[in-house]
Amino acid sequence: AAAPPHKERIADYNVFMQHQLAKAGVHVETGHPATVENVLQEHADAVIVATGARRRALTIPGIDRPNVIHAIDLLMGISPMQGRRAAVIGGGAVGLETAEYLAEEGYQVTVVEMLPRMAPELHPYLRKWMQDRLRGGDCDPVGMGVDLLTKVACDEITDGGLWMKHVETGERTFL
């Protein structure tokens, strides 16, 4: 969660919370599976499963190609980017943060979102600020040069890019 730009303080908060848990005597288990046997051995009054975010399984042809990287793997430095152009599939908060990270690293970025607007889960003010920061607008007239495409679904991923389909017209375009 602390990997995207402007979220460095989340790492500080994580360290703070670890100290608070230790002071409160809370026992935290990480790094191994929570099997029924392990959990029962603890004789806990309550078990909290906090597994974190899960990747959404996409059924796009070509999703398993070597040129496809999951956002979390990119942001955590697990999978490096190849080339200088990037298409981010999904214009939610994570997609926009990933686009910002790539733009700051000097990549030419296009975000592809099938919904009518980017990041509908964000507060309207924050959504506008992020979009303006990425493409330019009232909050940031210059922007970072990121293209934000809505009402466009990723239809197929190839070695050279991706095929998009407009959700209303069905028109296909290669990016």
Side-chain angles (χ1 to χ4, degrees), residues 44-112:
D45 294 325
V47 176
I48 311 302
V49 180
T51 58
R54 292 185 180 248
R55 294 179 184 168
R56 188 170 150 211
L58 299 176
T59 57
I60 302 166
I63 193 74
D64 55 350
R65 290 185 173 278
N67 59 332
V68 177
I69 301 170
H70 288 276
I72 191 68
D73 293 341
L74 175 71
L75 295 172
M76 298 302 294
I78 296 168
S79 297
M81 275 285 299
Q82 303 295 322
R84 298 309 306 162
R85 296 182 314 129
V88 177
I89 300 172
V94 173
L96 296 183
E97 289 171 346
T98 303
E100 181 179 23
Y101 168 79
L102 289 166
E104 283 184 349
E105 294 294 313
Y107 291 90
Q108 178 186 343
V109 184
T110 301
V111 179
V112 178

Side-chain angles (χ1 to χ4, degrees), residues 39-174:
V39 173
L40 290 175
Q41 271 184 329
E42 294 295 322
H43 301 289
D45 294 325
V47 176
I48 311 302
V49 180
T51 58
R54 292 185 180 248
R55 294 179 184 168
R56 188 170 150 211
L58 299 176
T59 57
I60 302 166
I63 193 74
D64 55 350
R65 290 185 173 278
N67 59 332
V68 177
I69 301 170
H70 288 276
I72 191 68
D73 293 341
L74 175 71
L75 295 172
M76 298 302 294
I78 296 168
S79 297
M81 275 285 299
Q82 303 295 322
R84 298 309 306 162
R85 296 182 314 129
V88 177
I89 300 172
V94 173
L96 296 183
E97 289 171 346
T98 303
E100 181 179 23
Y101 168 79
L102 289 166
E104 283 184 349
E105 294 294 313
Y107 291 90
Q108 178 186 343
V109 184
T110 301
V111 179
V112 178
E113 173 57 57
M114 62 191 293
L115 296 176
R117 66 179 179 190
M118 296 284 165
E121 74 275 19
L122 294 179
H123 185 278
Y125 176 79
L126 180 56
R127 180 176 45 251
K128 176 163 179 36
W129 178 83
M130 253 183 124
Q131 289 179 116
D132 286 357
R133 180 168 165 70
L134 292 171
R135 71 172 172 216
D138 297 336
C139 299
D140 185 343
V142 176
M144 302 174 86
V146 174
D147 290 323
L148 302 176
L149 306 178
T150 57
K151 298 183 184 179
V152 179
C154 180
D155 205 30
E156 179 185 0
I157 302 169
T158 69
D159 286 336
L162 61 88
W163 282 99
M164 305 175 297
K165 184 188 269 184
H166 194 280
V167 297
E168 293 175 351
T169 66
E171 179 184 348
R172 285 185 88 209
T173 309
F174 190 77

Side-chain angles (χ1 to χ4, degrees), residues 11-67:
D12 295 338
Y13 180 71
N14 189 17
V15 171
F16 169 76
M17 288 306 297
Q18 289 175 29
H19 289 294
Q20 293 299 101
L21 290 169
K23 278 181 13 183
V26 175
H27 178 72
V28 178
E29 290 282 335
T30 62
H32 59 82
T35 64
V36 173
E37 293 80 22
N38 294 7
V39 173
L40 290 175
Q41 271 184 329
E42 294 295 322
H43 301 289
D45 294 325
V47 176
I48 311 302
V49 180
T51 58
R54 292 185 180 248
R55 294 179 184 168
R56 188 170 150 211
L58 299 176
T59 57
I60 302 166
I63 193 74
D64 55 350
R65 290 185 173 278
N67 59 332

